[in-house]
Amino acid sequence: MLPTTTARPVRGLVIAEFVVLVGLNLEQLLRRLIPRGPAPPGEIFYFAAGVVIVVLALLRRRFPERTAALAGAAIGLSLVCSAVGFFGKPAAQIDGDPEILALMLLTGAACHRVSRGLAGVLAVLSGLAMAAAPVLRYGDSSTTLTVAILWALLWGGSIMIGLILRDGEARREAALVAARERERLELARELHDLVAHHITGVVVRTQAAGVVLADGPEHDLIKEIEHAGAEALAAVRRLVMMLRDPGHTSPVVARDLVKTVEAAAGEQEGVTLRLAPGLADFAIAPETVSTVHRVVLESLTNVRKHAADARVITVTVEPADDQRYLRVEVVDDGLRPSRARRSAGGYGLIGMGERIAALDGRLSAGEHGERGWRVLAELPLPGGAAAARPREGGSAK
């Protein structure tokens, strides 16, 4: 089956985040504690709390499903520090950059990943913790008010970034659902067209049997079968008409697999077809033929879109695994070493995956060799196919 992957954080971003947070804590330790000797209890308390909050922010990468708990714990600890500063008034100088940065990361992550209601609560509490911390801990001087305003602006920035990421993810999910639905609708159209074709054959043969056995005792039974078949055909046609939109054009569906592959490849320069000898003589279901057409067509379209520099494109169609599967492989050499690796989760591949999964087949896509990309589909052949060994050569298009 086509591998599905979730979005992973960029490695460089994770490293930068770790370096900045740890570096700020080390700078605070060296600047505040070491040169002056013993530090006031308030500074030690705030510094220790800040370290804990930084650790919680870093853990959100490791445990994304616990973002709400980590953010809630960090916000709660920050509010406790502010309460201690307000009521206890321990001696301390204004600081807290690592803590504020960690709260920003946790607030943005909560707005991105957590459910709306809980994210709203965490955002409000985070805003209270960040904006009130300078005044509650260090007094209401002009300096602390300026810092409070700055931290409030940083809180608003973290909220905005989190919501932008949330909206982008929602749009991506909607696009994935739409791609799957389009492919399922297209597949439904094709399958219903094929069913209508077979039912028509049954009705015609039943009508012929009714003529031949017009005077026999089976005449009434044959009439009932003909009537049931005609009703089923009418129902299928009504369903097909409901599924089709005015701008829909029927896909290419051929019973000759070789002609179907050649039609999908077209006259594209650099495309080499490697077809097993006798492939046109294999008894292959029409829905499998139409799926092969879609795989080849979509794969070549992706080559044109994402690997325009490809010079060698090979399309191989052959039976495999003791003729239990039809193997369809499209390989190109258009992946430059400097090019960003392409994802196997594009909408076209998702559509192919839906179609192939409906036939109990397998689909994989990924890098091939040092500079290539391969799409490999394996479609089951009910009852197997005639044995055939693929030839080494092929015809170039």
Side-chain angles (χ1 to χ4, degrees):
M1 296 295 296
L2 179 66
T4 56
T5 59
T6 56
R8 297 181 178 179
V10 180
R11 184 180 299 273
L13 182 61
V14 176
I15 295 175
E17 178 183 303
F18 178 83
V19 170
V20 170
L21 289 173
V22 174
L24 286 174
N25 276 287
L26 290 177
E27 184 272 340
Q28 188 182 58
L29 178 64
L30 295 174
R31 181 168 56 87
R32 295 286 186 182
L33 304 181
I34 294 179
R36 302 184 317 173
E43 289 192 4
I44 295 177
F45 177 66
Y46 295 151
F47 174 77
V51 170
V52 174
I53 294 174
V54 166
V55 171
L56 293 175
L58 293 176
L59 286 177
R60 85 190 194 285
R61 295 288 193 185
R62 181 67 178 82
F63 304 101
E65 70 281 358
R66 299 180 181 177
T67 298
L70 295 172
I75 294 170
L77 181 56
S78 180
L79 290 173
V80 168
C81 290
S82 297
V84 170
F86 179 74
F87 292 106
K89 300 188 183 304
Q93 294 187 7
I94 297 179
D95 211 326
D97 293 340
E99 176 185 342
I100 294 304
L101 178 58
L103 287 175
M104 287 178 58
L105 294 173
L106 286 168
T107 302
C111 293
H112 177 200
R113 301 171 182 165
V114 180
S115 61
R116 292 183 179 180
L118 184 55
V121 173
L122 291 173
V124 172
L125 293 177
S126 174
L128 178 62
M130 294 174 64
V135 177
L136 295 178
R137 297 181 192 182
Y138 310 110
D140 56 355
S141 65
S142 60
T143 302
T144 56
L145 291 176
T146 302
V147 173
I149 294 174
L150 175 60
W151 287 3
L153 293 175
L154 293 176
W155 168 78
S158 66
I159 295 290
M160 180 180 65
I161 293 174
L163 293 178
I164 289 175
L165 293 176
R166 188 188 192 97
D167 180 70
E169 189 170 289
R171 289 175 181 272
R172 179 179 179 275
E173 291 296 327
L176 291 176
V177 171
R180 291 191 178 100
E181 291 301 322
R182 285 195 301 269
E183 190 62 32
R184 289 172 181 172
L185 183 60
E186 189 71 19
L187 182 60
R189 292 187 183 110
E190 292 184 17
L191 292 178
H192 282 98
D193 285 346
L194 295 170
V195 170
H197 170 77
H198 291 302
I199 294 179
T200 301
V202 172
V203 172
V204 170
R205 288 173 175 80
T206 304
Q207 291 173 343
V211 174
V212 174
L213 303 175
D215 299 329
E218 303 90 350
H219 180 71
D220 292 339
L221 178 60
I222 291 176
K223 282 295 184 181
E224 291 179 4
I225 296 174
E226 178 185 347
H227 179 69
E231 288 185 346
L233 180 60
V236 170
R237 285 176 174 169
R238 284 196 301 269
L239 182 57
V240 171
M241 292 300 295
M242 291 173 60
L243 288 173
R244 283 181 174 153
D245 53 53
H248 176 263
T249 57
S250 298
V252 176
V253 178
R255 292 189 175 275
D256 190 329
L257 180 59
V258 173
K259 292 182 179 179
T260 299
V261 174
E262 291 176 345
E267 300 295 332
Q268 297 186 50
E269 183 178 356
V271 177
T272 299
L273 299 182
R274 292 183 177 176
L275 309 179
L279 192 63
D281 299 328
F282 289 169
I284 300 176
E287 55 267 28
T288 300
V289 176
S290 66
T291 300
V292 171
H293 177 270
R294 176 58 185 270
V295 170
V296 175
L297 186 63
E298 183 68 32
S299 300
L300 294 179
T301 300
N302 287 339
V303 172
R304 291 194 301 270
K305 290 171 59 178
H306 304 296
D309 58 321
R311 294 295 177 265
V312 179
I313 307 170
T314 304
V315 178
T316 303
V317 182
E318 60 187 8
D321 196 8
D322 295 329
Q323 285 71 49
R324 290 185 299 175
Y325 286 90
L326 183 67
R327 184 172 178 269
V328 183
E329 181 185 57
V330 181
V331 180
D332 71 85
D333 66 343
L335 183 60
R336 295 176 180 171
S338 60
R339 177 179 298 165
R341 299 301 185 189
R342 289 166 290 182
S343 169
Y347 300 147
L349 289 175
I350 291 173
M352 282 194 286
E354 291 287 336
R355 179 181 294 250
I356 292 172
L359 300 179
D360 295 326
R362 299 189 293 263
L363 176 66
S364 62
E367 298 169 17
H368 183 69
E370 295 183 356
R371 50 177 284 116
W373 186 266
R374 180 179 74 167
V375 175
L376 176 62
E378 293 178 302
L379 302 167
L381 294 174
R389 296 181 60 85
R391 62 189 178 211
E392 295 296 327
S395 59
K397 285 271 182 181

